[in-house]
Amino acid sequence: SDRAYVEGIVKKLKEQLAHGTTYGDRRGAAYGLAGVVKGLGITTLKNFAIMDSLKAYVEDKSDANAREGGILAFECFCDRLGKLFEPYVIHVLPLLLTCFGDSALQ
């Protein structure tokens, strides 16, 4: 029951992160997702496939809002999780380098 509840929240936040209509919607979803991960533990990233979703958002060439949402989530994870998120930075770095050249995100 608790897992289903958390799964629903994570799904809603990921949807808002990728398809939120305003910057504030996407930013708020990024903070919410970081809060869920901090509250439930770093294993939440794997248990709810959060990193896979964020990678897909950042690599989505057809939707700048999804790319921005993914980048915002990475920022919030680094800021809120600190050292707990450091092992994941290795996987995130190539995605970030690709986004630095994205003219739609500037």
Side-chain angles (χ1 to χ4, degrees):
S1 172
D2 288 339
R3 179 168 173 88
Y5 177 72
V6 172
E7 204 168 283
I9 290 174
V10 169
K11 182 178 178 183
K12 184 176 180 181
L13 287 170
K14 288 194 297 187
E15 180 70 24
Q16 189 71 18
L17 188 67
H19 304 294
T21 54
T22 66
Y23 173 81
D25 292 340
R26 293 185 296 277
R27 184 79 160 163
Y31 273 106
L33 209 52
V36 167
V37 172
K38 186 167 186 170
L40 295 177
I42 198 75
T43 58
T44 306
L45 290 174
K46 183 172 176 106
N47 293 342
F48 295 100
I50 293 172
M51 290 300 288
D52 294 335
S53 296
L54 295 180
K55 182 179 178 187
Y57 297 158
V58 172
E59 292 175 341
D60 185 358
K61 297 296 180 192
S62 64
D63 190 357
N65 287 340
R67 290 193 306 274
E68 181 181 52
I71 296 298
L72 289 171
F74 290 144
E75 176 194 0
C76 286
F77 287 164
C78 288
D79 185 43
R80 298 293 166 204
L81 301 176
K83 290 185 185 241
L84 291 175
F85 192 67
E86 281 183 8
Y88 292 91
V89 172
I90 295 169
H91 304 289
V92 172
L93 189 58
L95 300 171
L96 293 176
L97 292 174
T98 302
C99 289
F100 282 132
D102 191 343
S103 62
L105 297 178
Q106 296 184 18

